[in-house]
Amino acid sequence: MKKIILFASGSGSNAEKIIRHCQENKNIEVVRVYTNNPTAKVIDRAKNLHIPAEIFNRQDFNDGKLADKILQDAPDLIVLAGFLWKFPETIIKNFPNKIINIHPALLPKYGGKGMYGMNVHQAVLDNKEMETGITIHYVNENYDEGAIIFQKSVTIEDCSTADEIADKIHILEHQYFPEVIEKLLT
């Protein structure tokens, strides 16, 4: 049985899709969800799906306490699903090429600090891009610079708002993120 832990900071729609996908696959198990946001909707989503959710603060994240807990979980893969903090090098070094993230654009475009969620979609719209997409990549010590695992594009010529772009990106995320995770673990 392959074990996954998820990190999320917000609503957790991607985390829920991943959990549900893994619950249908008897070879992969989500063992825990970690969040840095005590009011994140991902907490309720995880609990409703019988997955333990744990809240942590920046000190635990940076001083090694959380790294120790992650080592106890012994995950085969750490998945960032809407997690906004930069991952500490101590955790990255303990799990080389075992931490992945999803980004709501076609990296290297629209990546880096501050480029997440609606910030990305608005920048894509402002630059009058004809397409955008998702990038699933390994996490390294820099924002959005890890090796690319998978990209999928979508045309946005018919989109006139950042919300319309976000809707198209969510469809791609929900379809492809669980599938890519499964392929990485088999």
Side-chain angles (χ1 to χ4, degrees):
M1 176 73 74
K2 300 287 186 171
K3 296 192 295 187
I4 298 174
I5 59 171
L6 299 174
F7 278 78
S9 297
S11 77
S13 65
N14 274 317
E16 181 176 343
K17 292 289 183 185
I18 293 164
I19 293 166
R20 288 186 184 282
H21 184 85
C22 292
Q23 287 176 338
E24 293 172 8
N25 181 322
K26 301 303 177 201
N27 300 317
I28 304 171
E29 175 186 20
V30 176
V31 295
R32 188 173 324 280
V33 172
Y34 287 103
T35 184
N36 58 319
N37 179 356
T39 62
K41 290 180 184 175
V42 72
I43 298 166
D44 291 331
R45 288 182 193 255
K47 288 181 180 177
N48 289 339
L49 294 166
H50 311 289
I51 305 297
E54 187 167 328
I55 303 163
F56 62 91
N57 61 35
R58 192 170 292 276
Q59 182 178 343
D60 291 344
F61 190 59
N62 291 323
D63 71 6
K65 285 182 186 171
L66 187 62
D68 291 342
K69 289 181 180 184
I70 293 169
L71 286 168
Q72 289 174 3
D73 287 334
D76 295 288
L77 193 65
I78 298 170
V79 178
L80 311 186
F83 183 71
L84 302 181
W85 289 356
K86 185 176 176 186
F87 240 58
E89 285 189 42
T90 53
I91 298 174
I92 294 169
K93 287 179 182 174
N94 281 314
F95 295 94
N97 293 319
K98 292 193 184 255
I99 307 171
I100 66 170
N101 185 33
I102 191 163
H103 187 76
L106 298 170
L107 292 174
K109 286 184 167 186
Y110 306 105
K113 187 172 183 166
M115 293 305 287
Y116 59 88
M118 294 306 286
N119 296 346
V120 172
H121 305 314
Q122 190 62 53
V124 167
L125 182 68
D126 291 347
N127 286 321
K128 299 177 179 22
E129 296 284 355
M130 302 308 282
E131 71 174 14
T132 189
I134 60 169
T135 303
I136 299 169
H137 63 92
Y138 288 106
V139 173
N140 66 14
E141 63 278 356
N142 300 310
Y143 282 112
D144 302 322
E145 292 184 14
I148 293 172
I149 300 164
F150 175 86
Q151 288 186 309
K152 184 69 176 176
S153 63
V154 63
T155 63
I156 53 169
E157 296 171 26
D158 59 336
C159 294
S160 57
T161 68
D163 286 326
E164 291 174 346
I165 294 170
D167 290 343
K168 285 192 170 195
I169 293 303
H170 280 121
I171 290 168
L172 293 179
E173 290 174 340
H174 293 167
Q175 178 179 353
Y176 292 103
F177 205 11
E179 291 176 6
V180 170
I181 290 166
E182 183 177 349
K183 285 179 186 171
L184 286 172
L185 291 172
T186 54

